[in-house]
Amino acid sequence: MKNILKLVVFLMVMSLTSVPTPVQAFNPATHLYIADNVFPDCINKIDLYYGSIAPDLALYVANPEVNWPTAFVDTHYTYMDLRSNAYGSRQKAFAKGWLTHNEEWGADHWAHIEGFGVSGSLGYVIEKAGDLLVHFPGLGDDFAHYAIEVAIDLLLKNNHDPKLGAKLLVANWLRSWQDRYLLAKVLVWQRPGRTDWLTLATAEFTFRSIVHRYAMALALPFPKDKEALAGLGAQLAWEMYGIDITPEVVGMLLEAALGLCEYDYECAILFTIEQIQNELQ
């Protein structure tokens, strides 16, 4: 019991001091944007959007450095279709969003496994992070990924969907309790030993707290959105990686990342949407 209490306190502290971990393939706003375009006729947008980011819950309970218990690690990196277990319009919308995220052929595949339209190349985020490291060799892979992911979110919001940050905020805030019930049914009750209800509930609490802060920053008007995300990035660098970096320097990194992505990010996202739609036919 003491270890469980320590875990809960640790996760609650993390929820107040961190931003989304940069090991995910795309940041949450981009996943939301992709799901919105893959399923434009979906009625329950809030649950669709939340489903599109929910697989990243795995990353908040599967950090080997602190030995967190595993809840979703298999479901993030392995294809899982929740649609056969979904009942009602909200759960079905959530399951659709979840499906767009998978690493086998979904958004994560094209972000960090296979490049768009180029056989044998790495995913878009990995390629761009490598380019960024050429200019900032001491940055580190994970933080370079974070800078690229934030840049894509900013470009999508400011060039395509000004409400993207607000959509993320509302989806994270107003998601249906039925969404978590669906995950509990599949991951706790149907698959004993994979995780437990406490881990699931704690992980989701932490995840939603962190996404809330990120969405609040992204929802700000330009250029305040970039400034706020630079501040969060500086905090993340210290909290997660022990990198002492100022918001001003993170702002420079974001500017460089924006410059690397601005000419082809749209092609990468459109290609990803098209590939997911093809798989769903």
Side-chain angles (χ1 to χ4, degrees):
M1 178 62 71
K2 184 182 293 185
N3 289 335
I4 292 176
L5 290 175
K6 285 181 179 180
L7 169 68
V8 173
V9 171
F10 180 74
L11 290 175
M12 290 177 69
V13 170
M14 290 298 293
S15 75
L16 297 174
T17 59
S18 301
V19 297
T21 176
V23 297
Q24 61 194 47
F26 283 124
N27 262 15
T30 299
H31 278 295
L32 184 155
Y33 182 87
I34 290 170
D36 207 8
N37 283 272
V38 170
F39 295 105
D41 298 326
C42 181
I43 297 175
N44 290 299
K45 291 291 190 179
I46 287 177
D47 299 289
L48 174 74
Y49 297 159
Y50 190 68
S52 74
I53 66 173
D56 280 331
L57 278 163
L59 305 178
Y60 296 96
V61 288
N63 187 329
E65 295 180 1
V66 293
N67 195 30
W68 293 359
T70 299
F72 298 100
V73 66
D74 293 335
T75 66
H76 178 78
Y77 295 107
T78 305
Y79 172 79
M80 175 178 279
D81 190 344
L82 301 176
R83 290 178 296 177
S84 62
N85 290 280
Y87 294 94
S89 60
R90 290 185 178 277
Q91 286 190 359
K92 289 178 179 178
F94 176 87
K96 287 179 178 178
W98 179 283
L99 196 59
T100 66
H101 193 125
N102 77 83
E103 193 172 69
E104 185 171 316
W105 47 258
D108 280 3
H109 179 86
W110 302 105
H112 65 71
I113 292 179
E114 186 177 353
F116 71 98
V118 182
S119 178
S121 64
L122 298 174
Y124 184 80
V125 170
I126 303 301
E127 292 276 5
K128 292 298 181 179
D131 293 340
L132 188 62
L133 285 168
V134 172
H135 303 286
F136 300 91
L139 184 60
D141 290 345
D142 286 338
F143 205 64
H145 296 166
Y146 172 76
I148 295 298
E149 292 154 8
V150 173
I152 299 169
D153 276 3
L154 285 168
L155 288 165
L156 286 172
K157 191 203 92 169
N158 292 317
N159 294 337
H160 301 275
D161 187 353
K163 296 181 180 180
L164 198 56
K167 288 179 179 179
L168 179 62
L169 185 64
V170 171
N172 188 59
W173 184 25
L174 297 180
R175 72 94 176 92
S176 172
W177 64 268
Q178 296 181 36
D179 298 342
R180 189 171 68 181
Y181 183 82
L182 173 60
L183 293 180
K185 179 170 63 174
V186 173
L187 302 177
V188 178
W189 301 317
Q190 289 186 2
R191 304 185 183 200
R194 168 166 284 192
T195 188
D196 57 78
W197 175 254
L198 176 61
T199 303
L200 169 59
T202 304
E204 196 200 25
F205 170 82
T206 305
F207 175 76
R208 293 176 70 197
S209 299
I210 294 169
V211 172
H212 176 80
R213 295 193 64 204
Y214 184 82
M216 287 284 287
L218 186 64
L220 293 172
F222 180 83
K224 292 183 179 180
D225 52 359
K226 184 175 64 175
E227 295 169 2
L229 289 168
L232 289 175
Q235 186 178 8
L236 172 67
W238 177 253
E239 296 287 344
M240 303 295 281
Y241 303 107
I243 301 174
D244 189 5
I245 189 171
T246 66
E248 291 74 20
V249 173
V250 177
M252 292 174 56
L253 294 174
L254 289 181
E255 284 292 345
L258 288 165
L260 288 170
C261 296
E262 63 180 340
Y263 298 108
D264 59 2
Y265 78 95
E266 186 175 7
C267 292
I269 299 302
L270 290 175
F271 179 83
T272 298
I273 292 168
E274 180 181 345
Q275 295 305 305
I276 296 173
Q277 289 174 329
N278 290 341
E279 289 286 344
L280 292 171
Q281 289 180 356

